[in-house]
Amino acid sequence: MISVEEARQRLLKLASLMPVVSTPLPLAKGRFLAEDLIARRQQPAAHMSAMDGYAVRFSDCPGPWSVIGESAAGHRYNGALAAGEAVRIFTGAHLPENSDCVIIQEDIERSGDNISLCGDAPHQKWHHVRKAGSDFSNGDRLAQAGTQVNAGIIAAAAMAGYGDLPLFAGPRVAIISSGDELVPPGLPLRTEQIPSSNAVMIAAMLSSLPCEVQDLGIARDNLASLAEKLEQAKGADIIVTIGGASVGDHDLVHRAATDAGATMDFWRIAVRPGKPLMAGKLGNSVMLGLPGNPGSAFVTAFLFLLPLVRHMAGSAQPWPTSLSAPCTTAIAAGGPRAEYLRAVLQDGELTPFHMQDSGVTKPLASANALIIRPVDAPPVGVGDIVAYLPLDI
């Protein structure tokens, strides 16, 4: 068995980055930047008013002033202020030439075209003014390559002069479940059958990432059925098999894959749950074989499949980031495999589920964290700080 860290590094070496596609801003959310986002203009482009009021020269305070015009957003006043002059101004409008502060309308008393202070005078230049370039300047880096595009980046890109962005395409992921006992969700069951829950679970886990998921259904426990599904998966960037990756008489995925021409890079890692994890290449596809127990499939998909998709889609940080919090219960010393315990983080404290069997699904319904237990980890006492991964999926 190899370590989790070695498996991670070897897995990413099997993969290649997806092509770069120029993508319109409305379609950019969730994808990863292929280049640094560099501003093509400055914002604001000129000095702008931050409030409704009157633009004046600070040196003319405390007034009075004569109003000579108006400046509104999109309709600037084109003249310059002389001594004792003011321009009525609205939020987002250009400041007239020679003006350097704004007095809010609540502090002004107006009679015809004459105004005077009735409240506080500006205490310095540029009072209530958004100075040119105060948001960003032409050439500023607004986001780094490899960053996942969110609504804020889209807003900044639009303001910076972009209508589309260079983004990595998302990989195509084909999912193959295997097992004679599996039945599609919602159909009647015999006692020896179970619903096929893993494929829909993993597709849901992938839904927040930029990828195209195709569920190819259930392969039966024979080489012909597996070969047919692997043939259907050709053309996918990632082929995910679920189940059949262990060493039992009916665990045929490894043999079917090699018969189809796959080369396996590793098989079995020192992790609990999820030891029977396979990774290799089938043609140009990265092939990842996940265990069939739902707890194992969930944990290994979170630890390996999701980072693989992020990496191929251009993420600069494909691995989940660990945090730490106190534990509410004692945990026994670890063993020769790293463990990832399903847990609930509530009120800043972690509580692992008593039942950590890889075959149970009930804990997955409320788990929002995985407690990290390294190889040969020391025992944990109540209140001890432990590392965990948030399940933000």
Side-chain angles (χ1 to χ4, degrees):
M1 293 186 292
I2 63 173
S3 69
V4 170
E5 184 57 34
E6 182 180 347
R8 283 176 164 182
Q9 300 310 318
R10 287 167 64 168
L11 178 62
L12 294 199
K13 287 181 180 178
L14 297 172
S16 301
L17 287 174
M18 299 300 295
V20 177
V21 180
S22 182
T23 306
L25 292 183
L27 303 178
K29 186 178 184 296
R31 305 270 288 276
F32 291 90
L33 290 171
E35 302 172 4
D36 289 350
L37 179 61
I38 304 298
R40 296 173 174 172
R41 57 182 294 275
Q42 74 169 3
Q43 175 61 25
H47 301 321
M48 303 279 192
S49 177
M51 302 290 285
D52 292 344
Y54 294 85
V56 300
R57 304 190 316 178
F58 182 72
S59 59
D60 290 340
C61 292
W65 300 269
S66 297
V67 179
I68 62 170
E70 180 178 288
S71 183
H75 302 279
R76 65 184 298 175
Y77 178 79
N78 290 315
L81 293 187
E85 292 180 337
V87 163
R88 178 74 165 115
I89 198 165
F90 299 93
T91 303
H94 276 63
L95 261 67
E97 188 178 347
N98 292 343
S99 64
D100 53 18
C101 64
V102 171
I103 304 173
I104 60 173
Q105 59 190 16
E106 292 87 348
D107 289 335
I108 288 292
E109 188 174 79
R110 181 167 180 169
S111 177
D113 289 333
N114 298 310
I115 61 173
S116 58
L117 273 174
C118 64
D120 295 332
H123 58 276
Q124 62 183 9
K125 286 184 178 182
W126 311 116
H127 193 61
H128 295 315
V129 173
R130 296 172 181 146
K131 296 183 69 176
S134 58
D135 189 357
F136 53 79
S137 299
N138 189 4
D140 281 357
R141 184 173 66 179
L142 307 181
Q144 292 182 321
T147 301
Q148 190 169 26
V149 176
N150 57 24
I153 289 177
I154 290 173
M159 196 65 77
Y162 290 81
D164 49 46
L165 290 171
L167 306 175
F168 290 101
R172 294 161 296 171
V173 182
I175 301 176
I176 302 170
S177 304
S178 69
D180 285 345
E181 75 281 13
L182 298 180
V183 174
L187 296 185
L189 300 169
R190 300 192 302 271
T191 55
E192 69 271 20
Q193 295 176 319
I194 59 172
S196 180
S197 62
N198 286 331
V200 290
M201 173 184 72
I202 289 170
M205 294 172 76
L206 292 169
S207 63
S208 62
L209 295 179
C211 61
E212 177 185 333
V213 178
Q214 182 182 17
D215 184 354
L216 296 180
I218 302 166
R220 296 308 168 189
D221 286 328
N222 62 75
L223 291 174
S225 182
L226 284 164
E228 180 183 359
K229 294 298 183 183
L230 290 172
E231 180 67 25
Q232 293 175 16
K234 284 185 176 178
D237 301 297
I238 302 172
I239 300 172
V240 180
T241 62
I242 310 170
S246 191
V247 294
D249 292 342
H250 299 282
D251 295 318
L252 302 174
V253 170
H254 187 280
R255 180 177 166 187
T258 54
D259 287 350
T263 56
M264 288 301 162
D265 187 86
F266 61 85
W267 178 29
R268 294 187 299 179
I269 59 174
V271 67
R272 185 194 302 271
K275 179 178 72 172
L277 181 81
M278 295 189 304
K281 293 293 291 285
L282 178 58
N284 293 323
S285 306
V286 179
M287 187 169 177
L288 188 64
L290 304 181
N293 280 322
S296 299
F298 180 89
V299 171
T300 52
F302 183 80
L303 294 178
F304 296 98
L305 175 58
L306 271 61
L308 174 64
V309 171
R310 292 189 199 101
H311 171 71
M312 295 182 70
S315 173
Q317 297 179 330
W319 306 115
T321 301
S322 64
L323 303 173
S324 59
C327 191
T328 64
T329 64
I331 302 175
R337 288 191 276 165
E339 294 184 79
Y340 291 84
L341 307 179
R342 285 145 285 174
V344 172
L345 176 69
Q346 186 174 13
D347 299 328
E349 295 182 317
L350 286 162
T351 303
F353 289 97
H354 175 71
M355 176 66 77
Q356 291 290 330
D357 188 296
S358 61
V360 298
T361 55
K362 184 178 178 180
L364 298 178
S366 52
N368 60 4
L370 291 177
I371 295 175
I372 304 169
R373 301 285 289 148
V375 172
D376 296 327
V380 170
V382 175
D384 287 354
I385 302 298
V386 296
Y388 73 94
L389 298 172
L391 294 174
D392 49 352
I393 51 177

